[in-house]
């Protein structure tokens, strides 16, 4: 499992994960979203990506 996180000057992050790391991260986000409403939007993004129904415009607005 490998992950690389780089912070950018504009406050965003570049996150690169291999398949195992991505699966573990998404599973953690989905689990945590059951207990905290603030994480639910991130869980929706993760779930959409896993199902292949991601909408880039919606994600950009959500994460602003």
């Amino acid at each position: 499992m490998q992950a690389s996180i780089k912070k950018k000057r504009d406050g965003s992050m570049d996150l690169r994960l291999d398949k195992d790391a991505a699966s573990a991260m998404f599973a953690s986000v989905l689990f945590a979203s059951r207990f905290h409403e603030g994480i639910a939007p991130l869980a929706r993004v993760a779930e959409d990506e896993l199902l292949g129904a991601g909408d880039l415009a919606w994600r950009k607005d959500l994460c602003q």
Side-chain angles (χ1 to χ4, degrees):
M1 192 177 333
Q2 293 187 3
S4 169
I5 302 172
K6 294 181 183 176
K7 292 192 269 181
K8 296 182 179 182
R9 289 182 183 257
D10 66 358
S12 64
M13 294 179 3
D14 183 18
L15 179 63
R16 295 181 184 264
L17 307 169
D18 68 5
K19 185 178 179 180
D20 292 333
S23 295
M25 185 189 78
F26 285 138
S28 297
V29 168
L30 293 174
F31 178 77
S33 72
R34 294 179 183 180
F35 303 101
H36 194 287
E37 287 183 24
I39 300 173
L42 183 57
R44 274 200 339 233
V45 170
E47 202 166 26
D48 285 351
E49 287 301 317
L50 290 174
L51 297 175
D55 178 5
L56 184 58
W58 175 80
R59 287 186 299 169
K60 275 186 118 176
D61 290 342
L62 176 67
C63 297
Q64 293 289 332

